[in-house]
Amino acid sequence: MAGFMAALDNLVVTTALPAIRQDLGGALEDLEWTVNAYTLTFAVLLMFGAALGDRFGRRRLFMAGLAVFTGASAAAALSPGIDELIAARAVQGVGAAVMMPLTLTLLTAAVPPARRGMALGIFSAVSGLAVASGPLVGGTLTEHISWQWIFWLNVPIGLALLPLARLKLAESTAPNARLDVPGTLLISGGLFGIVYGLVNANAHGWTSGPVLTALIAGTALVGAFVVHGFRNANPMLPMRLFLNRGFLGINTASLLMYLGMFGSIFRLSQFFQGVAGYSPPQAGVRMLPWTAMPLV
């Protein structure tokens, strides 16, 4: 359930964007940040969140991440303006980044070795279903209740999961786990710079000072992160893993898939509702062949 919520919130907001803009205002770049604020903090803190759990206790950090995610979901639902919504989405991503990797670790520890393949298969199917159904769930809630309910939906689930986690999950740690703070800062700053430059390029111009500075600085920091991954003794992402052809191939395929999916679904939602005149649920149904294909 925790993994489902974290995966669902990657795309659940897409079909609600026109309704959010109508209620809260904001430019197109602001709408992009309601999606990017979540995915950015989620992505850059994912491995750091796993390392925190290894060091300070996986159940403890899982519950902390779940609490942050649940609280930020309520804050997003109560947001009076677009800036507050973006801030709440960023905090949501932080909670998800701590919670999501520890779901797999806790699941592995809770299931006998003979059944782990089945358990991980179910987990992957549930996560895939969450991503696939995100636009449809968001569109349905927006049409029949309000867009705020795409965030309120997480609150009762999170509140129910917290005592269950406390009572049912065993605590565990990884001896000698180390935190790669420099690596986390490098990749966080680098990806933020690149995303900031891309999101603001159309509004300010590709050759404007802030955009060029953000893109160049972001690329330099990502390059420094790669060098750090080769030279540091315990990096958050050991770059030597990419020397393995299988690891390199599956990550390249995943990168291309998510570039295509996340890059276009924002525009698809705007087109289906703003140009073609479909309702949010109808737009969500028409995006299902796009988002469900990774399940196949």
Side-chain angles (χ1 to χ4, degrees), residues 2-290:
F4 182 88
M5 286 196 302
L8 183 74
D9 271 57
N10 277 294
L11 291 179
V12 72
V13 74
T14 51
T15 40
L17 289 174
I20 291 173
R21 190 177 189 181
Q22 185 176 355
D23 277 4
L24 302 183
L28 190 65
E29 304 89 69
D30 297 318
L31 290 185
E32 291 177 8
W33 277 112
T34 63
V35 179
N36 290 331
Y38 179 85
T39 53
L40 190 63
T41 54
F42 182 44
V44 300
L45 296 175
L46 195 64
M47 288 176 281
F48 190 69
L52 284 174
D54 288 342
R55 184 167 183 175
F56 298 111
R58 290 159 180 155
R59 183 185 66 181
R60 182 181 293 114
L61 264 294
F62 170 78
M63 291 177 64
L66 180 58
V68 169
F69 182 86
T70 304
S73 297
L78 294 169
S79 297
I82 194 72
D83 293 335
E84 291 82 1
L85 177 60
I86 292 169
R89 288 283 287 165
V91 177
Q92 251 194 324
V94 173
V98 176
M99 173 179 72
M100 187 66 168
L102 296 176
T103 58
L104 280 172
T105 313
L106 291 165
L107 182 65
T108 302
V111 178
R115 300 178 62 188
R116 280 178 190 161
M118 181 181 70
L120 293 175
I122 294 172
F123 178 88
S124 299
V126 167
S127 299
L129 183 64
V131 172
S133 61
L136 180 58
V137 171
T140 302
L141 290 172
T142 300
E143 175 76 7
H144 297 292
I145 310 177
S146 71
W147 64 263
Q148 285 89 347
W149 275 91
I150 65 178
F151 302 114
W152 282 127
L153 181 68
N154 296 327
V155 176
I157 299 174
L159 292 176
L161 291 180
L162 281 167
L164 281 175
R166 179 69 181 84
L167 294 171
K168 295 294 184 180
L169 297 177
E171 186 60 281
S172 64
T173 57
N176 304 317
R178 297 184 181 182
L179 302 176
D180 182 13
V181 176
T184 302
L185 293 175
L186 284 172
I187 194 62
S188 300
L191 290 181
F192 177 81
I194 292 172
V195 172
Y196 178 88
L198 292 174
V199 168
N200 290 283
N202 285 330
H204 301 293
W206 286 93
T207 57
S208 67
V211 169
L212 277 179
T213 301
L215 291 174
I216 293 170
T219 303
L221 288 172
V222 171
F225 174 76
V226 172
V227 174
H228 174 81
F230 277 115
R231 294 183 176 178
N232 192 273
N234 295 284
M236 64 185 293
L237 180 59
M239 289 297 156
R240 64 179 182 276
L241 292 175
F242 290 96
L243 299 176
N244 179 290
R245 288 200 308 173
F247 186 85
L248 175 63
I250 194 65
N251 277 281
T252 302
S254 297
L255 173 67
L256 293 173
M257 182 190 78
Y258 284 114
L259 279 173
M261 177 182 288
F262 283 78
S264 60
I265 200 164
F266 179 86
R267 300 292 181 182
L268 280 173
S269 175
Q270 309 293 312
F271 175 80
F272 279 138
Q273 295 180 70
V275 179
Y278 293 118
S279 68
Q282 290 171 332
V285 168
R286 281 157 179 80
M287 282 188 274
L288 266 180
W290 188 243

